[in-house]
Amino acid sequence: MPMPALPTDAIEVADSAPVAPLPDPALIAAQIDREGFAVIDDYVPPGDLQEAQDFVRRAVSGNGGNYLAIAGPERLDGTFLKRWPEDSDFLTLCRGIYQSSMGKPAPQPSFYQILRCLSGERAAANSLNFHYDSYLLTALIPILMPERGQSGDLLIIPNTRKLRASYATNFLDKILLDNPLSQAALRHLYRRGHRSIRHLKLKPGGLYLFNGYRSIHTNEACDPDTIRSTAILHYLDPHADSPLKRLLRRH
Ligand SMILES: O=C(O)CCC(=O)C(=O)O
Ligand SMILES: [Fe+2]
């Protein structure tokens, strides 16, 4: 399938091109549709990864060793994460995945970016919260993973729902999941090691792509004296134009 044409101003060669050429978006899309996720190992060049790891260590220690999350690229100076949402190869990949799985041209990407740094006493509260993302494609790069104690896997039950036609149905799904009873049931399955919950062992510098909108997922905790940090770009909110969503967001 031909790739969508990018506007010329987006076709700049980024300073940190991935080491290996990115795979065919159609293959990645098929894998995500089939298995719920796809992994590209060693996506980030080692020097860029090291800079981002130093950044995270400084941020966590500047926060008293506690959990923090940084939204948007603005405060990510000195790391490849600041440039990541504009990386032309990455944009082409995201648009190609969308086009392959939806069968229609991908809209101009705009991402919701977040850098999560789990550590300290608040690591546990920010773990094992099973959810659906509001965006179709979730791209995750592990920056630091704990080297001892709990391993901080990504937990995923692949493709548990379809793309909802309306925001109202999507909202209902979220209510059915985001309540103490459902969370307790899922945590119970997790503790029993139920096989419906896949464990993705995250390797720093890899690119993990999954359908966060369609798949119930969450992260495992890490021990308080370790750091588990993930950089995430969320791509494409299918209900962005919903009047109901706008109304609910206003309050
Ligand atoms: O940090 C992770 O591994 C997953 C985070 C996540 O699912 C999210 O931020 O939506
Ligand atoms: Fe998520």
Side-chain angles (χ1 to χ4, degrees):
M1 192 176 296
M3 293 300 299
L6 282 170
T8 41
D9 60 351
I11 314 180
E12 265 171 39
V13 179
D15 333 359
S16 70
V19 204
L22 288 174
D24 182 353
L27 293 180
I28 298 271
Q31 196 176 345
I32 295 173
D33 283 344
R34 206 175 50 243
E35 289 175 42
F37 61 88
V39 186
I40 301 170
D41 284 323
D42 303 321
Y43 171 71
V44 182
D48 283 355
L49 181 62
Q50 182 74 55
E51 270 173 0
Q53 292 178 330
D54 293 345
F55 178 95
V56 166
R57 286 196 188 97
R58 278 197 304 275
V60 170
S61 87
N63 196 36
N66 284 312
Y67 170 87
L68 77 142
I70 301 175
E74 294 81 15
R75 289 182 289 145
L76 301 174
D77 282 322
T79 72
F80 77 94
L81 295 169
K82 186 156 185 145
R83 306 184 298 269
W84 184 28
E86 283 157 21
D87 182 283
S88 60
D89 286 343
F90 179 71
L91 291 171
T92 305
L93 179 67
C94 289
R95 298 183 86 173
I97 292 172
Y98 179 92
Q99 176 155 336
S100 283
S101 83
M102 306 293 282
K104 58 182 182 188
Q108 187 67 32
S110 78
F111 294 104
Y112 172 61
Q113 184 168 12
I114 183 126
L115 174 65
R116 304 181 74 223
C117 309
L118 256 65
S119 195
E121 297 307 324
R122 286 176 58 211
N126 288 282
S127 303
L128 295 183
N129 298 316
F130 289 88
H131 64 279
Y132 289 118
D133 291 340
S134 304
Y135 300 79
L136 289 181
L137 182 70
T138 307
L140 184 152
I141 298 178
I143 303 296
L144 273 175
M145 281 293 130
E147 278 159 9
R148 58 180 184 281
Q150 301 167 84
S151 54
D153 297 346
L154 180 73
L155 308 176
I156 181 165
I157 312 178
N159 300 335
T160 34
R161 67 167 178 166
K162 291 198 168 70
L163 171 60
R164 299 305 192 192
S166 74
Y167 178 70
T169 323
N170 169 62
F171 192 63
L172 193 66
D173 289 338
K174 287 191 177 240
I175 291 171
L176 290 175
L177 185 56
D178 189 11
N179 64 74
L181 204 64
S182 301
Q183 293 295 320
L186 285 161
R187 286 174 188 177
H188 178 71
L189 289 181
Y190 161 69
R191 290 202 177 95
R192 283 182 38 205
H194 198 274
R195 64 190 168 87
S196 63
I197 303 181
R198 301 276 316 255
H199 281 243
L200 262 68
K201 299 256 167 248
L202 302 180
K203 190 164 161 271
L207 175 62
Y208 295 75
L209 296 156
F210 60 98
N211 193 326
Y213 180 100
R214 288 189 54 202
S215 307
I216 293 176
H217 65 278
T218 188
N219 58 278
E220 274 185 324
C222 62
D223 289 10
D225 61 343
T226 64
I227 301 178
R228 177 198 186 275
S229 176
T230 45
I232 297 154
L233 287 184
H234 290 289
Y235 173 50
L236 225 135
D237 176 356
H239 306 295
D241 298 330
S242 152
L244 176 63
K245 178 166 187 172
R246 260 185 250 134
L247 191 73
L248 291 169
R249 284 283 151 99
R250 226 180 286 153
H251 300 287

